[in-house]
Amino acid sequence: MKFQRFRQWCKKRKWWLTAAGILLIAYYFCLPRQLFTSPTSFVLEDVNGDLLNASIAPDGQWRFPYNPHVPEKFEKCIVAYEDKRFYYHWGLDPLAISRAIRQNLRGKKVVSGGSTITMQVIRISRNQPRTVWQKIVEAVLATRLEFAASKKKIIALYAANAPFGGNVVGLEAASWRYYGRKADQLSWGEMAALAVLPNSPALVHPGRNRNTLLNKRNQLLNKLYRNKTIDSITCQLAKLEPLPEQPLPLPQDAPHLLDRFRLDYQQQKSDGPTRIKSTVEASLQKNVTAIAERYHNAYKANRINNAAVLVLDVETGNTLAYVGNIYNPADPELESHVDIIQARRSPGSTLKPVLYAAMLNDGLILPNTLIPDIPTQIAGYSPQNFDLGYDGAVPASRALARSLNIPAVRMLQMYRYERFHTLLQKMGITTLNKPADHYGLSLILGGGETTLWEMCGMYASMARTLVHLEQYRGKYDMDDIHPPNYQADIQRPSQYGLSKEGVLDAGSIWYTFEAMTEVMRPGEELLWQQFSSSQRIAWKTGTSFGFRDGWAIGVTPKYVVGVWVGNADGEGRPGLIGVSTAAPVMFDVFRLLRTGSWFTTPTAQLRKVEICRKSGYRANELCDEKDSINVPVAGIRSGVCPYHQLVHLDRTGQWRVTENCESPQFMQHKAWFILPPSQEFYYRSKNYYAPLPPYKPDCIGSLGQDKAPIELIYPRPNARIFVPTELNGQAGQTIFTATHRNSAAKIYWHLDNSFIGETVEFHQMALHPPPGKHTITLVDENGERIEQTFEILAKEKDQ
């Protein structure tokens, strides 16, 4: 019966209920989903939330992104000043509205307003003229906002979007612009001065309205004292604080990292907040910047204008300091806006440690295996050492420490540049995106381009393998490989998505870092000694062709420091060498860091083998000096020493003999360390080397061709040689070089079967054959001979 009465009542009032329903739906949807859509500044914070950098918003306003955290002082100030019953009303304050109407009628003008903080949030978001109708609309939307958001959020919306004078919007921007500090660090006097500005933002202009601003601030402080928010002493001291003066510039401590964040934000088409909390430590960032600027001021005298420094945490791969360049926007010629950390540059020799580790990992060499260091020409490519000298043969670890180019190229030839190209891509170098043949053997000397960002990330991943031996099973796996990170509190899976196969074992990496602790360049020993440090650091320098890039990368169990020095436009400069420009910066940065203990020896990933002390190979039965050392697992399968051979001497031990000229019963059989003639020629000038005794005169006629003691060092067999024209317009010459086991021997030279001269002791001959194929023949006094073919290429204009 009651239900029927209710239905009849509804039918009589159907139009009224429909209208009410429509109004209720309209009221529900009247509030926009997003109140504020104005562009915001890009804001970069350090790991502790301190401001590193900020950029002005696209509309020319300093407007920081919304921050849900509002300082308690501001909340109490703004409520006391603008809306003392804020926590007790639903968007409208009838008492405040009544008071405003009464005062305005009495004064016959607008004396005060009755807007609540909620209504002011709505008014700021809509930016409409102040009319009675707009006031009504704001009142309705304010009540709706009260249902949709908490009081805390409404205060936060107000703090983030209220005008604070000039082009400053929001409390955070105002705090930095007027006081140079975070809002949380402001005093009561400073916070009160900011709290009165949204009501009259023009008061903040320096030199104008200072007394009015002072009076408003002090009135607010008195209110805070009366409502017992602050005590009398605090109130009096706060009134003595100065008012804000000329707006201050915001911190510019990491401008290139801010640009990186902005670029990443745009590329990801993100619509999230334009604020990021980075992994950078502000104090370290400032100190690293100061070091880079100090060296930059010295290098400018040589017109070296740019430098970059990157510091990574090994454990996480996080960026601790990011100096993309020496920032000086006032001088556009310096191109300080270029972020060198992300720029593709030739890495010079900084990839050599990776090749060394890869060859150890595959058992192609042992730590001290001798590598040839002689004049080399491979398919027309002739690498040169930095000092233009040769060692003949040098231990692989020493070749790495001295950054010798020829041994590195020969090692890459052995490893194969195609494999090395693939390995670098697996290890996170994405910039080598051309086929391996495009780079060839020059890849190991900086023939490809990469970035300081990826290089440091690769070395950090290698170090992480040693730091977490058990976790990574002693293997540098794909799980270990990920690029560096600059954003705090994010999960970073590997970007590369390759197979889970092992890349490098811990033993190979450990031996590589051990060799890198002794890095130096020929002729730079005194400079190296200046870099001595109480910290043990594995480091490598690099210099690109044409002295365009100077690199230094250092590794410890906790940190990786990478430094680049040069010119952003690629201009080369004399003296722009990694060891003398980038390395000093790197060592000064390491002095800011506490690195702790060295890497733990990965004994579980090493195996003990006997090696030949002289050659570094696994010892054979003829090796007279042996050492037992731990080597990477694959090293137990490496080749045995090829340089120790059994030599047959006569009974006096002064002559070599054969069975054709000496009875075996009168022979002495002795193990002898024998290098090929071309290696011996240079090796014996820098190392103790016992040359083979000469053959007994009556044995020479019985020697076979395989015993020939002559070797042509340059050119190599089937070489193709281009000889440039001299400055005087005449055809240039080619220097042919040979060696003989007998230092006193005489060699007779023949070109295309024509005698051209003879040499004694120092065997070099300057020739200028015409273009085409030729044959060079060398004969010694005993009739021993060698013969090789080569080709002289035509001049470029004839090709």
Side-chain angles (χ1 to χ4, degrees):
M1 192 71 177
K2 291 181 179 181
F3 179 71
Q4 290 179 350
R5 291 177 182 175
F6 178 74
R7 289 183 62 185
Q8 291 176 356
W9 183 84
C10 290
K11 286 181 180 180
K12 293 179 181 179
R13 296 165 177 80
K14 185 175 182 180
W15 66 271
W16 184 85
L17 291 175
T18 302
I22 293 173
L23 288 176
L24 186 61
I25 293 173
Y27 180 73
Y28 181 84
F29 288 104
C30 68
L31 189 71
R33 179 173 297 180
Q34 186 174 351
L35 280 177
F36 297 95
T37 58
S38 298
T40 56
S41 301
F42 281 89
V43 177
L44 179 68
E45 297 176 345
D46 86 331
V47 69
N48 298 314
D50 294 326
L51 184 65
L52 285 173
N53 248 94
S55 64
I56 200 165
D59 62 355
Q61 304 294 308
W62 284 107
R63 184 188 295 108
F64 281 27
Y66 168 78
N67 187 350
H69 171 70
V70 178
E72 183 181 1
K73 289 179 183 177
F74 180 79
E75 186 175 342
K76 291 184 178 297
C77 285
I78 201 66
V79 169
Y81 188 73
E82 293 284 358
D83 190 358
K84 63 182 179 181
R85 285 176 289 273
F86 173 71
Y87 293 105
Y88 307 104
H89 62 64
W90 285 0
L92 297 177
D93 185 353
L95 294 179
I97 294 175
S98 300
R99 172 185 52 76
I101 293 174
R102 185 171 61 254
Q103 290 178 348
N104 293 339
L105 290 176
R106 187 182 303 163
K108 297 181 180 180
K109 62 178 182 178
V110 177
V111 177
S112 67
S115 296
T116 63
I117 291 177
T118 314
M119 292 176 65
Q120 291 185 51
V121 169
I122 295 297
R123 176 173 56 79
I124 295 170
S125 70
R126 299 180 71 245
N127 193 24
Q128 296 293 328
R130 293 190 176 187
T131 62
V132 175
W133 170 249
Q134 292 299 333
K135 280 284 187 180
I136 294 172
V137 173
E138 290 170 7
V140 173
L141 293 175
T143 60
R144 178 67 186 87
L145 180 59
E146 289 281 346
F147 286 110
S150 66
K151 294 289 187 180
K152 287 285 186 183
K153 184 174 182 179
I154 293 171
I155 286 284
L157 288 170
Y158 179 87
N161 296 281
F164 282 81
N167 65 343
V168 181
V169 177
L171 174 65
E172 284 189 280
S175 177
W176 282 104
R177 287 289 281 166
Y178 298 135
Y179 293 108
R181 298 196 303 280
K182 294 173 61 176
D184 286 337
Q185 299 171 344
L186 298 183
S187 65
W188 280 108
E190 293 167 337
M191 191 65 83
L194 292 185
V196 302
L197 284 179
N199 187 269
S200 302
L203 297 180
V204 82
H205 286 288
R208 292 170 48 192
N209 306 317
R210 307 298 286 169
N211 290 333
T212 305
L213 177 59
L214 181 65
N215 291 334
K216 284 180 174 289
R217 185 200 68 175
N218 291 345
Q219 290 173 9
L220 173 56
L221 290 172
N222 290 332
K223 285 185 179 181
L224 294 174
Y225 169 64
R226 288 195 298 269
N227 65 20
K228 299 182 180 181
T229 299
I230 59 176
D231 56 35
S232 60
I233 296 177
T234 302
C235 181
Q236 293 302 318
L237 291 176
K239 290 179 181 180
L240 298 176
E241 295 179 15
L243 295 174
E245 298 290 343
Q246 188 74 24
L248 304 172
L250 270 66
Q252 297 290 318
D253 295 327
H256 299 92
L257 186 58
L258 180 70
D259 290 342
R260 172 72 188 274
F261 166 52
R262 180 162 43 202
L263 181 62
D264 289 345
Y265 186 93
Q266 294 168 351
Q267 289 179 344
Q268 296 168 4
K269 298 181 179 179
S270 174
D271 57 355
T274 56
R275 181 201 306 270
I276 186 173
K277 184 177 182 180
S278 73
T279 61
V280 170
E281 297 177 0
S283 59
L284 180 63
Q285 176 76 13
K286 293 176 182 177
N287 289 332
V288 171
T289 301
I291 290 172
E293 289 177 344
R294 185 173 75 247
Y295 281 97
H296 170 253
N297 290 332
Y299 296 157
K300 281 194 300 184
N302 190 24
R303 288 167 46 196
I304 299 174
N305 297 323
N306 306 104
V309 185
L310 179 64
V311 181
L312 299 182
D313 177 75
V314 166
E315 179 82 19
T316 60
N318 288 339
T319 301
L320 304 181
Y322 190 108
V323 181
N325 207 333
I326 305 302
Y327 193 60
N328 184 10
D331 189 348
E333 291 186 1
L334 297 181
E335 298 190 76
S336 63
H337 64 282
V338 177
D339 183 359
I340 299 295
I341 291 177
Q342 304 298 332
R344 297 188 178 192
R345 310 292 300 200
S346 167
S349 298
T350 54
L351 291 175
K352 289 177 182 175
V354 182
L355 176 61
Y356 179 76
M359 297 190 73
L360 288 175
N361 181 81
D362 290 0
L364 296 176
I365 60 171
L366 296 180
N368 296 309
T369 296
L370 281 182
I371 306 296
D373 181 23
I374 57 176
T376 299
Q377 186 180 71
I378 304 171
Y381 177 54
S382 300
Q384 296 289 330
N385 290 326
F386 186 80
D387 63 352
L388 302 180
Y390 308 96
D391 279 35
V394 63
S397 61
R398 189 69 175 168
L400 174 60
R402 293 177 52 195
S403 196
L404 297 176
N405 291 338
I406 292 175
V409 170
R410 284 182 168 267
M411 289 168 65
L412 183 57
Q413 185 184 28
M414 187 190 314
Y415 188 78
R416 291 191 301 111
Y417 63 81
E418 298 89 350
R419 290 182 62 202
F420 190 57
H421 180 261
T422 301
L423 174 68
L424 291 175
Q425 290 179 326
K426 287 183 177 181
M427 295 176 69
I429 305 299
T430 64
T431 53
L432 299 174
N433 49 17
K434 294 182 180 179
D437 289 338
H438 174 80
Y439 309 102
L441 293 174
S442 69
L443 182 60
I444 196 60
L445 303 183
E449 292 184 336
T450 185
T451 65
L452 188 62
W453 181 256
E454 291 189 347
M455 288 293 293
C456 289
M458 179 175 65
Y459 277 104
S461 297
M462 291 171 67
R464 194 176 304 117
T465 302
L466 294 180
V467 173
H468 297 290
L469 283 173
E470 295 184 1
Q471 178 180 346
Y472 293 145
R473 305 172 301 283
K475 205 68 166 164
Y476 180 102
D477 288 335
M478 302 316 300
D479 289 336
D480 314 335
I481 302 173
H482 50 70
N485 168 59
Y486 67 91
Q487 301 184 39
D489 305 324
I490 66 170
Q491 296 294 325
R492 299 179 301 108
S494 169
Q495 284 193 355
Y496 306 106
L498 301 175
S499 64
K500 296 295 183 181
E501 62 183 6
V503 179
L504 298 175
D505 63 44
S508 302
I509 297 173
W510 183 81
Y511 262 112
T512 300
F513 288 166
E514 287 289 304
M516 289 171 65
T517 60
E518 300 296 332
V519 167
M520 66 184 73
R521 274 194 182 276
E524 301 291 345
E525 285 80 3
L526 294 178
L527 186 62
W528 147 251
Q529 292 173 4
Q530 296 176 14
F531 300 153
S532 59
S533 170
S534 59
Q535 305 178 64
R536 194 174 184 193
I537 301 168
W539 63 291
K540 184 72 187 74
T541 60
T543 305
S544 67
F545 178 77
F547 302 102
R548 294 182 176 91
D549 309 89
W551 294 70
I553 298 178
V555 184
T556 70
K558 289 189 176 181
Y559 305 104
V560 171
V561 176
V563 178
W564 177 93
V565 175
N567 288 309
D569 61 3
E571 179 187 0
R573 297 298 304 162
L576 207 173
I577 302 169
V579 73
S580 58
T581 57
V585 180
M586 182 197 71
F587 275 93
D588 275 5
V589 172
F590 267 116
R591 291 187 182 100
L592 301 173
L593 307 170
R594 291 287 177 258
T595 59
S597 59
W598 188 241
F599 294 104
T600 302
T601 305
T603 52
Q605 284 75 41
L606 300 175
R607 298 293 183 270
K608 191 174 291 293
V609 298
E610 278 196 336
I611 60 115
C612 175
R613 186 180 301 172
K614 290 182 178 179
S615 70
Y617 281 85
R618 277 198 307 124
N620 62 22
E621 65 278 3
L622 297 177
C623 290
D624 50 352
E625 298 180 38
K626 302 178 182 179
D627 291 318
S628 183
I629 67 170
N630 288 317
V631 301
V633 175
I636 62 178
R637 302 188 301 271
S638 64
V640 297
C641 178
Y643 297 124
H644 276 86
Q645 300 175 20
L646 193 62
V647 175
H648 310 294
L649 306 177
D650 69 348
R651 69 181 70 190
T652 67
Q654 296 180 352
W655 304 95
R656 277 188 292 165
V657 294
T658 68
E659 60 182 4
N660 295 325
C661 61
E662 184 83 11
S663 175
Q665 61 180 327
F666 299 122
M667 290 183 184
Q668 297 183 40
H669 308 288
K670 188 173 182 180
W672 209 282
F673 178 65
I674 306 172
L675 290 173
S678 57
Q679 296 182 35
E680 175 189 323
F681 177 75
Y682 296 100
Y683 184 85
R684 66 188 181 190
S685 66
K686 298 184 178 181
N687 303 273
Y688 170 75
Y689 182 81
L692 279 171
Y695 276 101
K696 200 171 183 180
D698 53 355
C699 291
I700 294 177
S702 62
L703 297 178
Q705 289 299 316
D706 59 329
K707 304 287 186 178
I710 312 173
E711 183 172 345
L712 190 64
I713 298 177
Y714 183 84
R716 305 308 294 171
N718 301 314
R720 303 177 75 236
I721 305 170
F722 171 73
V723 183
T725 302
E726 301 291 348
L727 293 176
N728 59 11
Q730 296 181 357
Q733 294 182 331
T734 302
I735 306 300
F736 288 66
T737 305
T739 184
H740 197 289
R741 288 198 187 279
N742 182 1
S743 59
K746 181 181 293 185
I747 296 180
Y748 302 92
W749 297 69
H750 302 78
L751 179 64
D752 298 330
N753 297 320
S754 298
F755 176 73
I756 55 176
E758 63 183 56
T759 55
V760 180
E761 293 186 359
F762 191 68
H763 304 291
Q764 282 192 338
M765 186 75 69
L767 306 175
H768 44 85
K773 292 186 177 181
H774 301 276
T775 301
I776 185 78
T777 305
L778 280 64
V779 184
D780 70 1
E781 297 170 292
N782 299 317
E784 300 297 329
R785 62 185 288 141
I786 59 171
E787 187 176 282
Q788 288 181 190
T789 60
F790 64 93
E791 180 181 0
I792 297 294
L793 301 178
K795 299 178 182 178
E796 290 184 355
K797 64 181 181 180
D798 298 332
Q799 292 184 8

